[in-house]
């Protein structure tokens, strides 16, 4: 927010300087006038189209074009003015008004989107969810409709505003107690509340949270998030076998999902389900390459494109910061190489 305000002040100051400069001195005819006129016309056309837009799917593209047009305008040298001081004064005052309107419009539309363009997808989604929260909250509290409570809860949950998420999902369940999303997300928030406030959760609250998550999984067993949160909850309750089954079910429902990889690896290591490769990896490799091969101090093994021969050579002889493991038996080395090749295929 502070950055946005500073940016608006700078834009306003720059705009005022540019439009009031003609009052200070006269200058020769503007050599960039044709290009400036073309860009200005394009900018005005895009603004008009955005103001009357009905197909929201076209908005990002139009806003990107408008942003590029404004940048091109900003890149031109300041426009020279005619030698008529009264005309210069009129143009300057008109420019001041236009600059003020554009600054306000930018604060509400374009400037936040320019800032989002510098973020990755996850960060941008979180910022957008935060920006939507006040309006969604107001709508839900005014309408008291289930769909509005869910929309508010979803935005709060996605932006990590968990107090609002608890309130929104709690109200949604009052209108309809059989909503899997509200049940499981409210349950996982109750279960992890202790971590947020630095206090241990009571056995009664933990049992209540577990019941909510289990109920959601029963109502919507084919939704990946149901199995994901069920697996997390069961692992907290020490039910490793059931937790592993739920998390593997999650990966079946969402093959691209990687949220459970570390927990699955830990569960398999604890259960020692006839998987000596994971046990060997956890003892020798996980501290650098991550519990599930996703990378850490060392590179990701899942994104590796090395051949089996290259993997073998680096494992046995070391390379750079990677230590050598010359004492691995042939059987142990085969287990590790098979595991790394499996992760390469999974990506």
């Amino acid at each position: 927010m502070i950055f946005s305000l500073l940016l608006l002040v700078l834009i306003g100051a720059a705009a005022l300087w540019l439009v009031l400069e003609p009052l200070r001195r006269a200058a020769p005819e503007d050599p960039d006038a044709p290009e400036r006129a073309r860009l200005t016309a394009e900018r005005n056309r895009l603004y008009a189209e955005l103001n009357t837009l009905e197909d929201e799917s076209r908005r990002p593209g139009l806003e990107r074009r408008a942003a590029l047009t404004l940048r091109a305008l900003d890149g031109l040298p300041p426009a020279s003015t005619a030698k008529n001081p009264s005309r210069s004064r009129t143009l300057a005052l008109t420019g001041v008004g236009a600059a003020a309107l554009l600054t306000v419009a930018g604060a509400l539309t374009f400037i936040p989107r320019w800032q989002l363009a510098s973020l990755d997808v996850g960060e941008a989604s979180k910022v957008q969810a935060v920006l939507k929260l006040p309006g969604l909250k107001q709508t839900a509290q005014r309408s008291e409709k289930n769909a509005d409570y869910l929309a508010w809860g979803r935005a709060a949950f996605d932006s990590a505003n968990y107090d609002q998420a608890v309130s929104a999902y709690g109200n949604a369940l009052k209108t309809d107690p059989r909503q899997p999303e509200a049940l499981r997300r409210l349950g996982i928030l109750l279960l992890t509340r202790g971590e947020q406030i630095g206090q241990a959760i009571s056995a009664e609250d933990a049992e209540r949270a577990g019941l909510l998550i289990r109920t959601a999984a029963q109502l919507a067993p084919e939704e990946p998030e149901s199995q994901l949160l069920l697996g997390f909850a069961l692992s907290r309750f020490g039910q490793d076998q059931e937790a592993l089954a739920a998390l593997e079910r999650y990966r079946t429902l969402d093959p691209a999902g990687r949220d459970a990889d570390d927990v699955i690896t830990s569960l398999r290591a604890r259960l020692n389900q006839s998987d000596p490769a994971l046990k060997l990896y956890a003892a020798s490799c996980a501290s650098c390459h991550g519990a599930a091969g996703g990378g850490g101090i060392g590179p990701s093994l899942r994104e590796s494109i090395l051949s089996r021969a290259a993997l073998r050579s680096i494992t046995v002889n070391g390379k750079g910061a990677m230590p050598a493991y010359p004492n691995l038996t042939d059987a142990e080395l085969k287990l590790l190489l098979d595991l790394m090749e499996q992760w390469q295929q999974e990506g």
Side-chain angles (χ1 to χ4, degrees), residues 309-329:
L311 290 172
R312 179 188 182 92
S313 175
I314 294 174
T315 302
V316 173
N317 302 311
K319 183 177 180 180
M322 165 77 181
Y325 290 90
N327 297 324
L328 290 172
T329 66

Side-chain angles (χ1 to χ4, degrees), residues 52-294:
T52 59
L53 187 63
E54 295 182 356
D55 183 2
E56 288 297 321
S57 65
R58 298 182 56 229
R59 182 173 295 276
L62 290 173
E63 289 180 345
R64 188 174 295 107
R65 288 165 57 189
L68 292 173
T69 302
L70 289 174
R71 289 177 184 175
L73 275 171
D74 291 342
L76 293 176
S80 301
T81 61
K83 297 183 178 181
N84 187 334
S86 63
R87 182 171 179 271
S88 297
R89 185 177 296 105
T90 301
L91 290 174
L93 293 176
T94 303
V96 170
L101 289 175
L102 289 176
T103 301
V104 173
L108 298 176
T109 55
F110 295 102
I111 289 176
R113 295 178 185 272
W114 289 349
Q115 292 172 355
L116 292 178
S118 66
L119 305 176
D120 62 35
V121 176
E123 292 173 333
S125 298
K126 185 173 180 178
V127 171
Q128 288 174 325
V130 171
L131 294 175
K132 293 177 182 177
L133 265 183
L136 292 173
K137 178 180 179 181
Q138 185 178 19
T139 299
Q141 291 177 333
R142 183 177 62 252
S143 71
E144 297 184 349
K145 292 182 178 179
N146 178 60
D148 292 333
Y149 280 130
L150 286 176
W152 173 27
R154 196 171 295 122
F157 190 91
D158 292 344
S159 62
N161 197 318
Y162 297 131
D163 288 339
Q164 287 197 40
V166 168
S167 178
Y169 282 130
N171 281 296
L173 289 174
K174 290 179 183 178
T175 65
D176 180 3
R178 295 176 60 83
Q179 299 178 87
E181 178 186 324
L183 285 167
R184 64 185 176 237
R185 289 190 170 185
L186 185 58
I188 202 68
L189 289 174
L190 293 175
L191 188 61
T192 58
R193 174 179 291 178
E195 298 174 359
Q196 302 168 28
I197 62 176
Q199 296 180 3
I201 186 174
S202 68
E204 182 180 354
D205 285 343
E207 183 178 354
R208 184 181 299 112
L211 179 60
L212 292 173
I213 296 170
R214 287 188 178 92
T215 302
Q218 292 171 356
L219 290 173
E222 300 303 311
E223 293 183 6
E225 190 180 71
S226 287
Q227 299 299 330
L228 176 65
L229 298 187
L230 177 62
F232 285 162
L234 291 173
S235 68
R236 284 174 171 266
F237 296 140
Q239 301 176 31
D240 290 350
Q241 186 68 55
E242 295 83 353
L244 184 58
L247 293 176
E248 288 180 337
R249 175 65 176 154
Y250 155 73
R251 289 214 302 197
T252 300
L253 294 170
D254 183 9
R258 304 260 64 96
D259 293 328
D261 285 352
D262 289 350
V263 180
I264 288 175
T265 300
S266 298
L267 290 171
R268 283 177 175 170
R270 289 208 300 261
L271 291 169
N272 192 23
Q273 292 184 327
S274 302
D275 197 341
L278 283 173
K279 185 176 181 179
L280 180 62
Y281 174 84
S284 304
C285 314
S287 60
C288 289
H289 295 284

